[in-house]
Each structure stands twice: as structure tokens, then as C-alpha cells.
Amino acid sequence: MGNRWEFDTMNSRRISKAIRIGDVTIGGGAPVVVQSMTKTDTRDVRATIEQIKELEDGDCELVRVAVPDAQAARAIVDIKKGIKIPLVADIHFDYRLALTALEAGADGLRLNPGNIGEPDKVQKVTLAARERGVPIRIGLNAGSLPKTDNPDLNVAERMVDAALEQVRLLESLDFDLIKVSLKFFDVPTTIEAYQSIAEKIPYPLHIGITEAGLPRTGIIRSTVGIGTLLWLGIGDTIRVSLTAHPREEVVAAYEILKSLNLRQHGPVLVSCPTCGRAEVDVVKLAEEVEKRLQKIDKPIKVAVMGCVVNGPGEAKDADVGIACGKGKGVIFKKGKKVATVEEKDFFTALMKEVEGL
Amino acid sequence: MGNRWEFDTMNSRRISKAIRIGDVTIGGGAPVVVQSMTKTDTRDVRATIEQIKELEDGDCELVRVAVPDAQAARAIVDIKKGIKIPLVADIHFDYRLALTALEAGADGLRLNPGNIGEPDKVQKVTLAARERGVPIRIGLNAGSLPKTDNPDLNVAERMVDAALEQVRLLESLDFDLIKVSLKFFDVPTTIEAYQSIAEKIPYPLHIGITEAGLPRTGIIRSTVGIGTLLWLGIGDTIRVSLTAHPREEVVAAYEILKSLNLRQHGPVLVSCPTCGRAEVDVVKLAEEVEKRLQKIDKPIKVAVMGCVVNGPGEAKDADVGIACGKGKGVIFKKGKKVATVEEKDFFTALMKEVEGL
């Protein structure tokens, strides 16, 4: 097995070398960082700040902006004045945009080795980043891979090879503020690529599935890929790419992390799927509770259960829970029965206990 | 590592002993079966048939109905007359309901060892099921676990122990039409439990996360658990439990399976998340395309890409794709450029190629 790790449970996390982007630590055992990317025209400073503020409200911890031209790179100066979280400049094709973005105060850079050009261009960017202590993400995408001489490599191997080549280049310049991503639409290939690179370099990994699509299907595709990698112990920062408003990306990212107990972020609602056994409208009650819980910041667990099969068990396990039966509901708080209420009072009685926590 | 398997890639699937529920094969290398559960009152035959027909329209392959009383058990006779897919009766508390469900023609049984009672009751059900060749799912839920004498066991171990005890009981009665599930709200615990049981028994596994909640968060929680297990090679049939209409469960189940290339089910839409680089409204175009694709059954891959970074690469990789730029879009079909179109014609030109496949 050589230096291959054993991944038996999700507890064996890969500990990478920590880097700092602005005041956010990525890797080295730090909590997995939630990031997103703006979808506004970066040159439109006001719109971009507004979207980043929406992301900050959702607890996004790091934001990336596209830098398609020099005006967008220079806009970073003003964007940074209006936001709190660190900003990463996303660079393709033209290395000079990276230099301008650094001058404009970008806290991090993302370079795509597939289209940035010759090593001397990457070298110029690296030296400028080193001078400022700004990390660089080597961001591969299967859709824009560098050409290869070896036709036998699969996509995962090509991504890994291309990333390693860049890593060696940056290391040769005495630069180690490195983060790597290897994104693809195909989930098993993406997992294979990240597993491979995780063994070969000590740097933090930014994980995600690219071009995952609209929320309805894209959330599932992203979640299978990111969730499996995190369970394997791989991943220091995540981005859920969705063809949607970026706040949806942040919501989904936290839900993935919460489901693996890697982060806490507001309440968790446990609710049964309902079946022919339920004697109350569980969907309606759960929806009302979820809506109200969105206004609560505390990392509490609330259970809404429709019948006596798993109801009392799950309700007892939650901070506050209700196990509903015919016309009556039993309310549990920290595992103890605290009240039996009529159906019309289910919501009010449950929320009273939640708010009293 | 003893008999512990190596799970390096998702290709090493666990091959279980195949069982048949009605005309559906579960395990033994068969495609992973998508199932759901009705949320109607099972005694209401018309409503239950109607909901199962909706599930059949979504390609649900197996359906379970709650059997809270004898009237519900007897209703199975009439429900089966109106549906095509096999039906599993969900039994808790009272073993006699299982006997009635068998007489009524149930194609499978689900028993909860946590509340079904003494071994002699399970024995009666098992002998009746053996006579008819009807499989039994031993369906554990952490919310309704049998009592244990060993306080040192964690929830995963308790679920596994309880399941193994039932498996041995059924085997002692010369019965091997067995399927097992070990469901819990906590994802890492659920994965741990399934990994453990997967090594200990040869039977197919029904996998899922229980009480996952409303779709917004529940889909993510279910997907992390089910997706990781499937990637590990574990799972012969899946149910996504959501506090929502069951057709949503089936849609999500297929998306999980598609993302791991385990099943094909209609078109796949690849679309970029859009960023400050996009010069067209990718979200709007992708939404229009997704809506139209829902009416298409073919397992094709369609790409909607907003810019030149990954656009041409991904569009070429799809069966049909569009890479949009400023006011123009290039349409690719099977990797070849087939047209360059104006922005107003993006949707029409793309769908023309899709429909011509």
C-alpha cells in the first residue's frame, strides 16, 4: 500500500499544511471553510458588494470573484472596502490580471494551469504573490485541461499530473502558500483525482464538483462528491457550484458539513417522512417549524415525528421534539417529557420550548 | 485487516445474495433498485393506488405501505389490483398484521425487530413468508432499537447486533430471503453501521437515512449518507426519506444513482454555475432547458455553459452542448461544432439538436 492511507471512518481526517487567506485559516485541522463565488459583473462594484454582503449574511467565509479583464481586477480595491470576508481573484488566460489583482488587494489568487500559459508567466505571478504572502490556488478543471503527451492517462490522472507540475513549479520558487482543486462534472472521477492528489502533496484541498447544474439536480451531484470526500477525510474548504444565486451554494455547503458533524450552523430539523401511519399533517407542521427555525442561530436539534414507531425515540434524542399521535402530541425537552398538548397547539407548544432553550 | 474489504474505488461493489420481491431483483449485482413509501392512509385504497401510480410514473420500482391495523393489511388485496410494481407491507408492533398482509398478497414484508416482540412471533411470520417465498426486510431504526444488556455499545453497534440476532433467527428457520436496513438520522453512524453489517452477512442491504427532514435539508443529509455508501460499494436498494410527496424521493434517488453512474434515468444537464465572466443569462437558459428535458426519456447529456473557460471543453464532452459568449453561442453535437447562433436562438437551436439525437 506504500504511503496510501487507511480511510476506515470519517474520523481520520487528512491534516494538511495550513494557509491563511486574509484572516481565514484553511487546512491544518481548521474547520472546513465554506466559500462561494459572485455571479455579478465584477466591474459593477456596487452589485458585487451587495451580493457578497448577502453571502456574508449566510455565513459564507470566503468569496471569489471572476477577473475577466483589467477593469475587473482594479475593481477589487473598491469591492474590498465594502466587504468583511477575504476575497479571491479568479484568473484565467492572462497572468497580468493576477498581478493587477494582487496590487488591488486580493487576499488569494486562483490560477487555472490549463489556460494561464508558459511557466515564466506563472513564475511572475508566484513571485508577486510571495512578496505579499498571498496564497495561490492551483485550480484545475477537466473542461480546460492542459494538453498531454500521454494519451493513456484518464481524466483524473491528467488533472493530478497537471496539478503536480504546477505545484513543483511553485515550490521551485520557494512558494508554499498553495491550495489545489481538481474539479469535474463526473463524481467518481473527481473523487479518484482528489484521493490521488491527497497522498502526493501536503497542501490544503479545495473540493467541489463543477458544472453540477441547477439546484434540483446539482445539489445532489455536488453533495455525493463533496460528502464522500469529506467522509474520507479529504477537503479543507468546499464550494457547492450551482446554477443559481450563490446564497443557495452556501446553504447547501453548511448542510453537507452539518450532516457529517463537521460544522454546526443553526438548528437541525429531524422530521419523519410520514406514512400511512401518521395521524397528523407532519409535512405542514415540519414546514412551519423549519420556517421559524430559520430565524434562530442556535445549533439545536428539533424533532417533528408523526407517530409512535420512532417518534418518542427520536423526539427524546433531540433538544426539543414532538411525537404526534391521534389528536395529541407529547413534547420532549432534553430527553424528558414536558407536556402533552392538543393538535391545535402543536406548533405553539413546540416553539415555546425551542425558544426557552 | 482480517476480512475487512479494501474500498479503493467505487468499482468494488459488494455482491450480495440476490432476492426477488415480486418481479424485481435486489442484490446479486442487479441495478440498485429505487423504492419509496406511500404517505396516504393505506385503508384508503383509491388514494393509495393513485399515489403509487404517480410513483410508477416517476419509475419507482418498489413501493412500501404502512400497515397500522388489520383493515390496512386487508386493503393490500385491492391496492395490488390497481398497481404494477411490487408492494412491501411495513409492519410494526403486531406480528399478526404481517400474517394478514401475506394473505392479502404482499410481495415483501418489513419487520422492525425493535417492536415486533418475542422470537416465537417472528417465527410464525417467517414460516408463513417461507411458504409463499416472500422476502422479509429486517428493518432497524435507531429511534426504536431493542433494549440492550451492554451499555458500552454505540448506536451503530446496537443496530448491527440487533439485526444479526434477527438474521440468525430467520436462518435457523431455514429462511434466507432476507434484506437488512439500519437507519438513523446521524450520517456517520449510519455509514459505520452499514459498513459493519456488510462484512458480516451475505444478504442485500436497503440503505437510507431516516427522518432526514424537509427536502431543502433532507435531500442533502440523505445524499451524503446514501451517496457515500454507494460509492463504497454498499447498497442494493435505496430509499430517500423526505418529509414531502414521495415522488420527490424517487427523483432524488435517481439523481444520486446517476451521479455515481450506477443508473441511467433520463437526460443529464451539465450547466456552469455562472460567474462575473458570463455574458448571457445562464440560469434562465439552463432552467428552460431543464424544463424541456423533463419531457425527454433518453439518457443524454446536455451542457449549457456561460463562457469560454470550460465552455467548449464541457460542451464538446456532452451529447449536445452550447458554449455561450458575447451575443453568440457555439453548438456542439457529439464533440463536433455544428452551428454558431445568435443569443435569441440559443434555446431553439440547442433543443433542435437534442431532439434530433
Side-chain angles (χ1 to χ4, degrees):
Chain A
M1 300 290 285
N3 64 347
R4 191 170 185 87
W5 302 338
E6 297 294 342
F7 287 119
D8 286 346
T9 76
M10 68 158 292
N11 298 317
S12 53
R13 292 196 63 71
R14 170 180 178 268
I15 302 298
S16 57
K17 180 185 173 308
I19 59 170
R20 279 176 75 81
I21 300 184
D23 56 0
V24 171
T25 300
I26 296 178
V32 179
V33 170
V34 170
Q35 62 171 284
S36 185
M37 185 169 184
T38 53
K39 306 188 178 193
T40 50
D41 184 333
T42 310
R43 294 165 298 193
D44 184 341
V45 172
R46 181 178 299 195
T48 303
I49 288 177
E50 195 181 312
Q51 194 165 75
I52 295 173
K53 285 183 157 303
E54 288 180 279
L55 290 173
E56 288 175 348
D57 286 345
D59 297 327
C60 179
E61 298 168 310
L62 183 63
V63 70
R64 183 158 44 111
V65 301
V67 181
D69 62 20
Q71 196 189 336
R74 286 191 299 267
I76 290 171
V77 177
D78 293 318
I79 293 168
K80 281 201 46 96
K81 286 176 191 159
I83 66 173
K84 292 180 194 144
I85 56 177
L87 179 149
V88 175
D90 195 60
I91 311 290
H92 296 272
F93 303 110
D94 187 349
Y95 79 101
R96 289 167 304 182
L97 298 173
L99 300 177
T100 310
L102 283 172
E103 282 162 28
D107 301 294
L109 291 177
R110 178 269 171 118
L111 302 183
N112 182 341
N115 59 31
I116 214 75
E118 301 75 41
D120 65 315
K121 294 176 178 170
V122 176
Q123 181 168 346
K124 281 181 187 145
V125 176
T126 306
L127 297 178
R130 194 179 71 185
E131 199 164 299
R132 293 169 194 270
V134 169
I136 295 177
R137 166 155 69 98
I138 297 169
L140 270 292
N141 275 95
S144 53
L145 274 174
K147 291 196 171 57
T148 175
D149 298 331
N150 185 346
D152 294 336
L153 299 182
N154 67 24
V155 174
E157 291 163 337
R158 284 182 63 196
M159 287 201 287
V160 170
D161 274 12
L164 287 176
E165 190 176 314
Q166 293 289 308
V167 166
R168 300 310 168 219
L169 174 58
L170 269 55
E171 285 176 339
S172 75
L173 300 166
D174 199 21
F175 186 86
D176 65 356
L177 305 176
I178 298 172
K179 189 172 59 164
V180 173
S181 65
L182 309 168
K183 297 194 194 176
F184 191 24
F185 177 78
D186 186 72
V187 172
T189 302
T190 308
I191 295 172
E192 183 187 337
Y194 276 105
Q195 283 190 296
S196 170
I197 198 97
E199 298 168 356
K200 296 181 175 70
I201 59 173
Y203 306 110
L205 298 174
H206 161 128
I207 63 175
I209 299 297
T210 199
E211 286 98 32
L214 292 162
R216 189 161 167 272
T217 58
I219 281 180
I220 290 179
R221 184 166 286 270
S222 279
T223 300
V224 173
I226 295 171
T228 302
L229 283 166
L230 289 172
W231 182 87
L232 287 168
I234 293 172
D236 302 286
T237 175
I238 68 175
R239 183 204 174 190
V240 178
S241 300
L242 296 175
T243 310
H245 192 286
R247 70 174 156 252
E248 298 298 319
E249 301 185 347
V250 174
V251 169
Y254 276 110
E255 289 302 325
I256 294 171
L257 293 169
K258 283 160 74 175
S259 75
L260 289 167
N261 307 322
L262 289 168
R263 295 288 300 265
Q264 292 189 327
H265 191 253
V268 170
L269 176 65
V270 183
S271 66
C272 79
T274 110
C275 68
R277 198 176 281 279
E279 291 170 313
V280 301
D281 189 343
V282 177
V283 178
K284 188 163 158 274
L285 179 60
E287 282 172 351
E288 282 172 359
V289 173
E290 183 183 64
K291 206 171 158 192
R292 183 70 72 88
L293 289 180
Q294 282 171 17
K295 293 175 190 153
I296 293 176
D297 273 344
K298 292 175 282 194
I300 53 172
K301 189 169 167 189
V302 179
V304 175
M305 303 293 297
C307 83
V308 292
V309 173
N310 300 309
E314 288 287 351
K316 274 184 198 164
D317 190 47
D319 292 300
V320 174
I322 184 164
C324 308
K326 198 163 195 162
K328 299 260 189 209
V330 179
I331 302 217
F332 292 88
K333 187 171 180 174
K334 304 276 184 196
K336 287 195 180 119
K337 198 193 276 197
V338 291
T340 302
V341 295
E342 302 286 318
E343 188 163 352
K344 67 177 175 46
D345 300 320
F346 283 177
F347 178 73
T348 321
L350 186 70
M351 293 316 300
K352 195 187 123 196
E353 296 301 334
V354 168
E355 275 143 26
L357 277 172
Chain B
M1 299 294 284
N3 64 347
R4 190 170 186 88
W5 303 338
E6 296 295 340
F7 287 120
D8 285 347
T9 76
M10 68 158 291
N11 297 317
S12 53
R13 294 196 62 71
R14 168 180 180 268
I15 301 299
S16 57
K17 178 183 174 309
I19 59 169
R20 278 178 76 81
I21 301 184
D23 57 0
V24 171
T25 300
I26 296 178
V32 178
V33 171
V34 170
Q35 62 171 285
S36 185
M37 185 169 183
T38 53
K39 304 187 179 194
T40 51
D41 184 333
T42 309
R43 296 165 298 193
D44 184 341
V45 172
R46 182 179 298 196
T48 303
I49 288 177
E50 195 181 313
Q51 194 165 76
I52 295 174
K53 285 185 157 302
E54 288 180 278
L55 291 172
E56 288 176 350
D57 285 345
D59 297 327
C60 179
E61 298 168 309
L62 183 63
V63 70
R64 182 157 47 112
V65 300
V67 181
D69 62 21
Q71 195 188 337
R74 286 191 298 267
I76 290 172
V77 177
D78 293 319
I79 293 168
K80 279 200 50 91
K81 287 177 191 159
I83 66 171
K84 293 179 194 145
I85 56 177
L87 179 149
V88 175
D90 195 61
I91 311 290
H92 295 271
F93 304 110
D94 187 349
Y95 78 100
R96 290 167 302 182
L97 297 174
L99 300 177
T100 309
L102 283 173
E103 282 162 28
D107 301 294
L109 292 177
R110 179 269 171 118
L111 302 184
N112 182 341
N115 58 33
I116 214 74
E118 300 76 39
D120 64 314
K121 293 176 179 171
V122 176
Q123 181 167 345
K124 280 180 186 145
V125 176
T126 305
L127 296 178
R130 193 179 72 184
E131 199 166 300
R132 293 168 194 272
V134 168
I136 296 176
R137 166 155 70 98
I138 297 168
L140 272 291
N141 274 94
S144 53
L145 273 175
K147 289 194 173 58
T148 175
D149 297 331
N150 185 345
D152 294 335
L153 299 183
N154 66 25
V155 174
E157 291 164 337
R158 284 182 63 196
M159 286 202 287
V160 170
D161 274 11
L164 287 177
E165 191 176 314
Q166 293 289 309
V167 166
R168 300 311 167 218
L169 173 59
L170 269 55
E171 285 176 338
S172 75
L173 300 166
D174 198 22
F175 186 84
D176 64 356
L177 305 176
I178 298 172
K179 190 172 58 165
V180 172
S181 65
L182 309 168
K183 297 193 192 177
F184 190 25
F185 177 78
D186 186 71
V187 172
T189 302
T190 308
I191 295 173
E192 182 188 337
Y194 276 105
Q195 284 190 294
S196 170
I197 198 100
E199 299 169 354
K200 295 180 176 71
I201 59 172
Y203 305 111
L205 298 174
H206 161 128
I207 63 175
I209 299 297
T210 200
E211 285 100 31
L214 291 162
R216 190 160 166 271
T217 58
I219 281 180
I220 291 179
R221 185 167 285 271
S222 278
T223 300
V224 173
I226 294 172
T228 302
L229 282 166
L230 289 172
W231 183 86
L232 287 168
I234 293 172
D236 301 286
T237 174
I238 67 176
R239 183 203 174 190
V240 179
S241 301
L242 296 175
T243 311
H245 192 286
R247 69 175 157 251
E248 296 299 319
E249 301 185 347
V250 174
V251 169
Y254 275 109
E255 289 303 325
I256 294 171
L257 293 169
K258 283 161 73 174
S259 75
L260 289 167
N261 308 322
L262 289 169
R263 294 288 299 264
Q264 292 190 327
H265 191 253
V268 170
L269 176 64
V270 183
S271 66
C272 78
T274 113
C275 68
R277 197 175 282 279
E279 290 169 315
V280 300
D281 188 343
V282 178
V283 178
K284 190 163 155 272
L285 179 60
E287 282 172 349
E288 282 172 358
V289 173
E290 184 183 64
K291 206 170 157 191
R292 184 71 70 88
L293 289 180
Q294 283 172 15
K295 293 174 190 154
I296 292 176
D297 273 344
K298 293 174 283 195
I300 53 173
K301 189 168 165 191
V302 179
V304 175
M305 303 293 297
C307 85
V308 294
V309 172
N310 300 309
E314 289 287 353
K316 275 184 200 164
D317 190 45
D319 293 300
V320 174
I322 185 164
C324 307
K326 198 164 195 161
K328 300 262 187 208
V330 179
I331 301 215
F332 292 87
K333 186 170 179 173
K334 304 279 187 194
K336 289 199 178 114
K337 198 194 278 195
V338 291
T340 303
V341 294
E342 301 286 318
E343 188 163 353
K344 68 176 174 45
D345 301 320
F346 283 178
F347 178 73
T348 321
L350 186 70
M351 292 316 299
K352 196 188 120 195
E353 296 301 334
V354 167
E355 276 145 25
L357 278 171

